[in-house]
Amino acid sequence: MEESVVLAEVAEKMFNSDIKRKSPYLRPTDTGEMLKTLFWQEFELSRIAFGWVPAVPKYESKLKLGRFGYLHNRNAKFLEARINELPVTLNKNESAVALTREAFERMTLAENDQHFFASYFFILQRLYEQYDNLMDRLDPILDAPTVDQLNLVFVERNRMLNWVREQIRFCNVNVTDAENAKKAQAWGEYVAVIWHLFMQGLQEKKSVDEIAWPAHPVEQPAGPVPADSAWEPDVFPL
């Protein structure tokens, strides 16, 4: 039996004892459940990043989103490796899986790439806040294998956030009329509402149908996976 699995079993017994019930650290089962939540978010972000590759016109953006899709997928594999050592199981039929897909699709079916980058940055910030919260609650000794996997996830954290932040800054500079500024604000407010409903749904273990989702504000999203790929005509004349 692998050492990390043995550690998880020992930790579970200790946390179930009367002495350790008052510990500020998570039990292995709780750690596993939080990792599962993060796993499905990384999985959906991988799908979304890849899906937006053909929707963004700039070649650099296509390259970056393709890489980010890979990184999200790689992060999910890091998390899965640790989940498999804990007393929990990944089950694609759990309500949280469909709930994550529904919420993330709603937050990224954007009118244009500017709005997509804004929602993507919002989600990334919330994602890493969850990682930080988990890291603060891990036993540094008994849950050292989880810490190791999270540190692997964090390797590209700042580079991803900084690049997406720069896309938002560039887009904001180019929003010169009041109508587009109003649309951007409304989209940001919609994304924040969806995130709140998503987190509430996870906490209360609700299904997709049990949540009163607001009407989606975009009639014809630019992505992900558009019918026709977007390109910069000056760079790639078709």
Side-chain angles (χ1 to χ4, degrees):
M1 187 177 295
E2 296 183 6
E3 181 181 358
S4 54
V5 178
V6 174
L7 273 174
E9 293 178 352
V10 171
E12 189 72 17
K13 292 179 181 178
M14 291 179 66
F15 275 101
N16 286 333
S17 70
D18 290 336
I19 296 176
K20 295 298 289 184
R21 281 178 185 166
K22 295 181 180 179
S23 170
Y25 300 122
L26 293 170
R27 298 177 303 165
T29 50
D30 299 327
T31 299
E33 290 300 324
M34 292 185 72
L35 289 176
K36 285 167 56 178
T37 298
L38 292 165
F39 170 87
W40 292 116
Q41 291 179 49
E42 291 280 13
F43 181 80
E44 289 304 316
L45 284 172
S46 177
R47 292 178 62 250
I48 289 164
F50 282 131
W52 267 91
V53 169
V56 295
K58 291 186 177 181
Y59 183 63
E60 180 197 2
S61 298
K62 293 178 183 294
L63 290 177
K64 286 291 185 180
L65 288 176
R67 173 159 176 76
F68 290 173
Y70 158 75
L71 290 175
H72 287 303
N73 185 269
R74 188 188 67 174
N75 291 345
K77 290 180 179 179
F78 289 150
L79 299 178
E80 183 180 20
R82 180 54 178 153
I83 289 168
N84 290 338
E85 298 169 344
L86 294 167
V88 295
T89 55
L90 280 170
N91 181 357
K92 65 180 181 180
N93 295 319
E94 291 180 357
S95 61
V97 181
L99 183 63
T100 304
R101 175 159 297 185
E102 179 72 18
F104 278 48
E105 287 183 351
R106 284 176 172 272
M107 290 186 289
T108 55
L109 284 166
E111 181 178 352
N112 51 52
D113 56 335
Q114 294 96 327
H115 290 185
F116 163 68
F117 282 127
S119 55
Y120 185 33
F121 185 69
F122 177 92
I123 296 171
L124 283 178
Q125 286 182 307
R126 305 289 91 75
L127 174 72
Y128 285 117
E129 285 174 3
Q130 294 173 81
Y131 275 121
D132 290 339
N133 178 55
L134 173 57
M135 188 69 94
D136 288 342
R137 302 174 65 189
L138 293 176
D139 188 307
I141 298 176
L142 296 177
D143 225 338
T146 304
V147 174
D148 289 343
Q149 294 301 97
L150 295 190
N151 282 332
L152 293 174
V153 171
F154 290 163
V155 168
E156 296 289 338
R157 171 179 181 163
N158 289 334
R159 276 189 283 266
M160 293 179 72
L161 286 170
N162 290 339
W163 186 84
V164 180
R165 184 188 292 110
E166 184 63 17
Q167 307 317 300
I168 298 172
R169 188 194 66 80
F170 176 78
C171 293
N172 288 340
V173 170
N174 288 282
V175 175
T176 56
D177 60 281
E179 182 179 354
N180 283 334
K182 186 176 180 180
K183 282 186 177 181
Q185 181 179 353
W187 174 250
E189 292 172 352
Y190 171 80
V191 169
V193 169
I194 297 301
W195 183 265
H196 172 75
L197 293 172
F198 167 58
M199 297 305 292
Q200 186 179 61
L202 286 179
Q203 184 177 6
E204 299 175 4
K205 300 186 183 302
K206 289 184 177 180
S207 68
V208 171
D209 295 335
E210 291 176 314
I211 295 178
W213 303 101
H216 197 275
V218 180
E219 292 183 4
Q220 295 182 330
V225 195
D228 298 311
S229 295
W231 293 95
E232 287 182 290
D234 296 337
V235 180
F236 295 97
L238 299 178

